Amino acid sequence: MKKKSSVILKIILGMMLAVFLMVGGWTIYTIIQAPELDLNKFTYAEPAMVLDSNGQPYETLQGSEKREVVEISKIPQHVRNAFIAIEDERFYKHGGIDLQGIARAAFQGIKARDFTTAGGSTITQQLIKQTHLSPEKQLSRKVQEAYLALKLENIMDKDAILANYLNKINFAYAYGVQSAAQTYFHKDVEDLTISQAAVLAAIPKAPTTYKPYIIEKKDGENQIVLDANGQVKYSPKNQQRALAVVEKMKELDFISEQEYRKAKDEIENNKIDLKLPPKANIYSYFTDSLYQQVVQDLQEKYFSDLPKEEGREQAVQYLLDGGLTIYSTVDSKIQSTMEEKFEEDRLFPAQSSQAKMASKAKSEELGKEVSYQPEAAMVIIDNATGQVKGIVGGREKTENLSINRAIKKFQPGSSTKPLTVYAPGLDSKKITLAKTYDDVPIRIPGPGKAWEPKNAGNSYSGMTTVRKGLTKSKNSVAVQTWYDVGLETSVEYAKKFGLTIQEEGQRNDMGPSSLALGGYTRGQTPLAMTSAFSAFANNGTRVEPNFYTKVEDAKGNVILEKKPEEIKVISAEAAYLINDVLKDVSKGGTTTVSIPGMDVAGKTGTTNNLKDAWYVGYTPYYTAAVWYGYDENVVTAGGKTYQLNINIYGGSKPGPALMWEEVMKEIHKGLSSKQFPQKPAGIVEAKVDAVSGKLPTALSYLDPRGSQVYTEKFIKGTVPTEKDDYHVLFHGKVYIKKPVDRFPGPVEPVDPNYHPEGSIVLTEATRRSTSPPKEEEKIEEKQKEDQEVPEEMLEEDEKEGTKEEDTKEEDTKEEDTKEEDTKEEDTKEEENATPDDKNSNSNTGTEGEAPSKKPEPGNPQEGNPSSGNPPDSSQSTNNLTGDS
């Protein structure tokens, strides 16, 4: 019997040894399979902080986890104790695992016949589970968790472990104790009361179950329940656990009896001051744009070796969860000013009748409210640095990364002319401001139907200088000038200005309808147009637009840096000449805008059928582009098609010009008065004839409409050397005789016999109707043709020349005093030209001459041979006025 018992005992011991060896072997194997302890995993997802140009917090880019990491020193002791009491009361006594807790958990596991549900994890183990292991409930994970916890306790002190834990854990609506304090109580963790600390400590065990809010479905959406007084109702589940927290804190002598009673009363009677979570951030249009640029730069620098989509995802995650600090270029004052102005309905045109009908029809078709409203966009750039100081992409922003019209492409219309026609021509010295073109109806023959670009209201002025052609935005002049400048030159400068040119494909931008009149295949963005025009105010140098200067990681290391990228586009001399003309554009050329104490220059733009309207202007400090239009120009609903056009011009008020003026006046307050760069040494002045663009003769002064002599500015070496040969004498009278070959390239007049009303062109009809002169008159006429300018006339001319600056200053003052009285009809611009089907998008756009009742500053009037800009024949009362 004893022998049999001995055998049984040996068998039992053997089985126990086998089980022990099996368990031990399995445990060793499980530990071997555990991941390496990685201290980098204690760097948690944190949002990116965006600072403004003054280094002040602007906005926070919230990532996948709403978290703000805080140091242990900023977490009060009673907050720490609340978590220790409920989660790991022997935290400061064990070495990573709590044997008493494990024994208790094992007993519970035996009772439940499921060890995976047993608790007993220390704070250290919970930290390891959340940073190194999967959330799966497996016994092997428990073993690895304990093993890594012991390793962590050997290399990290208790306070550091607790800090990492409190910054890591999930609080349902937030991650980390600081963000939880902000979410539920709208205060920092260091300001939490004992009861509030207990409420937070109650959450992490099961965040969905123990969150302090009561959630009910209402109108199909989950909503936080409020009581009749608007106070947030308190969840009984969190309340019960929070009471357990404060009771445990009293039991462990973490709080006094008095503190316990106070905390208990606050929890039981909902005196914890529970708040609704802050509304989700709707970032500004600037932050949206900044986000895109930073993601792109991160992808190019750090994730370019990955497939494109994967690289972008990694860049986005790094930006949103990496705790980055972004030093942005935004000026908070400028950005807020723009946003405020975009909320003012008075600055926008009313919804068009077509838009109203389209909205109604589309609403009925879809069964939900649809409203097509006039939209807008604006960008402001610092001329010297290229830094974007403000950007608005629409009138209302309801979500992040929504449509941003400031970086969307639209047809720019005539606002392209200085960039792709006149600046390239002046800088390459292929034209001067004095060069003249015949402003008459023209056509350009092609393989199909000839293209006939038109001026506003079919209004033409005959021989017109480049200066006046740009000031009044004459389409026919721009097209003719473009042919003299040339395709290659136009495209070369367009790219330097930062424009996007479609060079290939059946529809492309390689023609005058795009490059002279702005009918680009895909358009240009307000951001690109702003950057392009900034070169004029910066001596011809453009700085690539940027939204930030540098980006730092969570440890303060610079990971991205944006150094200014300067591009010399045109010479300082060419920029000076463009500024000189564009100042006149904004003083009654095609609009009227001003800023007290500041030079202002700019260009309007309006596209076919008034679809898009632009004003791009600048001061010595900033450049800004404003676009107005509809998001959809063609809407089909209910079997009908509606055309949605903004129905205003770029210079209209309300419209782009007024928005520009209102915003820029506000942001220039407090800035010192400033003018554009002074005249460079390479600029000279010379008297020229406004009809021929050549040096004047006696007949230039004797034009029946008044002297056609004025003083023009030139880049040194481009002053004309030939004398005026357009003015001729016939039977004792002065006429204009235009050369047959005056049109450049393929340009030809629609009607060779067309002359603007009141012209003094010498025609065959005039020749036939005029009596032959007497012999002595012929001799006298010949003498007059050959003679130089009379000495007394030259003397008078010199006197007028010395008064030029004073006159211009007086004219400017007069202009300013009349500015507010300028009527809207005085700022109308030209309608668009018809597109060139071969080379352009059908949405070609330009505006043209704006009727103006007041004289241009410095313009010589009838009978006044003073220096200044070319004469405006529309201002003369002489019956012969017309072609000039």
Side-chain angles (χ1 to χ4, degrees), residues 162-446:
L162 183 61
N164 276 301
Y165 170 78
L166 293 176
N167 280 307
K168 174 65 179 177
I169 49 180
N170 179 7
F171 287 90
Y173 284 76
Y175 289 83
V177 68
Q178 167 66 8
S179 288
Q182 288 285 353
T183 298
Y184 295 111
F185 304 113
H186 295 190
K187 60 171 61 174
D188 291 329
V189 64
E190 56 190 342
D191 298 322
L192 291 175
T193 64
I194 293 173
S195 61
Q196 290 170 339
V199 169
L200 296 186
I203 301 173
K205 180 178 177 64
T208 302
T209 302
Y210 291 114
K211 60 181 177 290
Y213 298 136
I214 298 174
I215 308 296
E216 290 182 357
K217 183 161 281 190
K218 186 176 181 182
D219 297 329
E221 294 183 0
N222 290 329
Q223 295 185 9
I224 297 172
V225 179
L226 307 178
D227 63 18
N229 298 318
Q231 183 180 3
V232 179
K233 280 192 174 182
Y234 184 29
S235 165
K237 292 181 180 179
N238 180 280
Q239 183 182 54
Q240 183 179 2
R241 186 163 171 80
L243 288 172
V245 171
V246 292
E247 186 173 343
K248 193 68 175 177
M249 291 177 74
K250 180 175 75 75
E251 177 188 322
L252 297 171
D253 292 328
F254 287 160
I255 56 175
S256 65
E257 180 68 28
Q258 184 178 356
E259 289 173 325
Y260 164 71
R261 290 179 180 177
K262 183 175 185 297
K264 183 172 180 289
D265 175 67
E266 291 172 350
I267 294 170
E268 288 179 334
N269 296 289
N270 193 12
K271 297 178 183 178
I272 54 177
D273 198 24
L274 187 61
K275 300 280 202 274
L276 289 172
K279 291 183 179 179
N281 290 337
I282 302 297
Y283 306 128
S284 70
Y285 281 107
F286 178 91
T287 301
D288 280 359
S289 302
L290 171 69
Y291 168 90
Q292 299 286 8
Q293 190 175 66
V294 173
V295 167
Q296 180 179 328
D297 291 347
L298 284 173
Q299 183 176 359
E300 289 179 359
K301 186 170 182 179
Y302 296 103
F303 306 104
S304 59
D305 57 327
L306 299 175
K308 188 174 181 180
E309 290 302 318
E310 184 181 347
R312 179 173 175 80
E313 289 179 7
Q314 291 292 327
V316 168
Q317 184 177 352
Y318 188 26
L319 170 59
L320 296 181
D321 295 337
L324 307 183
T325 301
I326 305 171
Y327 293 79
S328 82
T329 62
V330 69
D331 185 308
S332 299
K333 175 188 172 185
I334 291 176
Q335 182 69 26
S336 61
T337 298
M338 294 168 69
E339 292 169 352
E340 290 166 6
K341 293 298 181 182
F342 268 60
E343 292 176 357
E344 296 186 28
D345 291 339
R346 68 179 182 85
L347 297 177
F348 293 90
Q351 184 186 35
S352 70
S353 58
Q354 284 279 302
K356 288 180 181 177
M357 291 188 289
S359 299
K360 182 180 179 182
K362 185 62 76 172
S363 296
E364 292 174 352
E365 182 177 276
L366 298 179
K368 62 179 182 180
E369 185 68 23
V370 176
S371 181
Y372 299 102
Q373 294 291 333
E375 271 298 348
M378 185 176 189
V379 179
I380 297 179
I381 283 179
D382 184 302
N383 298 328
T385 65
Q387 294 182 358
V388 179
K389 292 300 177 182
I391 183 169
V392 175
R395 296 175 66 178
E396 184 179 12
K397 196 169 192 296
T398 57
E399 60 182 354
N400 294 323
L401 298 178
S402 57
I403 178 173
N404 187 348
R405 299 162 189 85
I407 55 176
K408 186 179 177 182
K409 291 180 179 179
F410 304 97
Q411 303 296 347
S414 285
S415 55
T416 195
K417 291 175 181 176
L419 308 173
T420 50
V421 179
Y422 297 111
L426 291 169
D427 193 59
S428 63
K429 300 181 181 179
K430 294 182 177 182
I431 63 168
T432 69
L433 292 179
K435 185 172 178 58
T436 60
Y437 293 94
D438 199 358
D439 180 30
V440 296
I442 60 173
R443 67 182 170 204
I444 291 86

Side-chain angles (χ1 to χ4, degrees), residues 101 128 161 221 247 340 403 418 473 514 716 840:
I128 288 295
I161 291 172
E221 294 183 0
E247 186 173 343
E340 290 166 6
I403 178 173
S473 200
S514 295
K716 191 177 293 184
S840 172

Side-chain angles (χ1 to χ4, degrees), residues 38-69:
D38 184 1
L39 296 182
N40 289 324
K41 292 184 180 293
F42 300 116
T43 302
Y44 307 134
E46 288 187 83
M49 174 62 69
V50 179
L51 306 180
D52 66 15
S53 57
N54 295 316
Q56 298 301 310
Y58 175 62
E59 287 187 338
T60 300
L61 287 176
Q62 188 58 58
S64 58
E65 297 180 358
K66 183 180 180 181
R67 174 187 285 109
E68 182 180 348
V69 174

Side-chain angles (χ1 to χ4, degrees), residues 581-594:
V581 180
L582 295 190
K583 284 193 293 184
D584 291 339
V585 170
S586 301
K587 291 180 180 179
T590 53
T591 191
T592 303
V593 296
S594 67

Side-chain angles (χ1 to χ4, degrees), residues 70-76 80 92 159-160 162-164 166-167:
V70 290
E71 297 176 358
I72 192 68
S73 60
K74 291 187 176 180
I75 303 175
R80 303 183 215 177
Y92 281 102
D159 282 349
L162 183 61
N164 276 301
L166 293 176
N167 280 307

